[in-house]
Amino acid sequence: MATKEEEIWSRAEQYIVEHLLGRDEALDSVLAAAQAAGMPDIQVSPTHGKLLMLLAQMHGAKKILEIGTLAGYSTIWLARALPAEGKLVTLEFDPKHAAVARGNIAKAGFAERVEVRVGSALDTLPLLKAEGTGPFDFVFIDANKTGYSDYLGWALQLTQRGSVIVADNAVQAGRIADADSDDTTVQAIRSFIEKLGAEPRVSATIVQCVGSKGYDGLAIGIVTGD
Ligand SMILES: C[S@@+](CC[C@H](N)C(=O)[O-])C[C@H]1O[C@@H](n2cnc3c(N)ncnc32)[C@H](O)[C@@H]1O
């Protein structure tokens, strides 16, 4: 049952979607396919999907890395930011999620530009490094929260000065401020934030957000050193 505040956040989001995003049949069909496949409703909100696209567009990103594909919803938003010769690699642990995502990405017209890699990201990221697939201009981290600190380390190995790193779920309804939390997700995000803060090669902040997905936030950083 939504609280009064959550209802206000959702109504405001609907209003924003209506006026700034409009109807999006391609992405509606991604959500329908995800629901039909019984996948969890944990993709980014439409407003955050568009924010990811705008950030990647503002940055002129040509090579994007995503960690955590699900049904390809955020993948498609990010792929929309790419130029024709651009490339997006997205990493997904669950083969069923990857299969649904591949179908959705192909239907959205991005099969040529997007590669879905199946496996644990901690196995795939070293392969990308070994293959010389990077450097990526833009990295979006949105997989298992316990992996975030390691993903940050890999993101730094796979980017270059000027690259952008974004990570979802960085506020956890404000619980990140609770040092004594016994929640492993909260502690994993705290470790990620503290690693980000101690990392001399990145300048970052976290934007707190409310909306249909509740109260959370996006970490946004730029790689400032090699
Ligand atoms: C929050 S969902 C991603 C949502 C997606 N970015 C979107 O907004 O449309 C997280 C995804 O990460 C995947 N995942 C979890 N652990 C992983 C791991 N170790 N390596 C790669 N993917 C993982 C899950 O299977 C799930 O599909």
Side-chain angles (χ1 to χ4, degrees), residues 42-55:
I42 52 172
Q43 69 287 334
V44 296
S45 66
T47 51
H48 284 186
K50 184 156 184 189
L51 174 63
L52 290 171
M53 182 192 80
L54 291 172
L55 289 172

Side-chain angles (χ1 to χ4, degrees), residues 159-223:
T159 51
Q160 58 192 353
R161 193 187 290 253
S163 297
V164 170
I165 300 174
V166 177
D168 199 14
N169 307 120
V171 172
Q172 298 290 317
R175 292 179 300 147
I176 50 166
D178 182 3
D180 299 326
S181 173
D182 56 8
D183 184 315
T184 49
T185 298
V186 169
Q187 289 300 348
I189 295 293
R190 284 175 58 86
S191 300
F192 164 75
I193 292 169
E194 287 162 31
K195 182 169 176 171
L196 193 59
E199 175 51 66
R201 290 170 292 175
V202 184
S203 175
T205 190
I206 293 178
V207 183
Q208 301 193 66
C209 313
V210 294
S212 61
K213 301 280 175 176
Y215 164 34
D216 213 320
L218 278 179
I220 303 177
I222 184 161
V223 179

Side-chain angles (χ1 to χ4, degrees), residues 47-98:
T47 51
H48 284 186
K50 184 156 184 189
L51 174 63
L52 290 171
M53 182 192 80
L54 291 172
L55 289 172
Q57 267 176 343
M58 286 171 191
H59 190 58
K62 294 192 175 69
K63 265 191 180 182
I64 299 177
L65 172 64
E66 178 180 64
I67 307 174
T69 317
L70 195 66
Y73 183 81
S74 56
T75 318
I76 291 168
W77 272 114
L78 285 166
R80 287 176 173 178
L82 287 171
E85 74 281 10
K87 173 98 185 149
L88 189 157
V89 180
T90 182
L91 313 185
E92 174 54 53
F93 175 73
D94 187 326
K96 288 187 211 134
H97 292 183

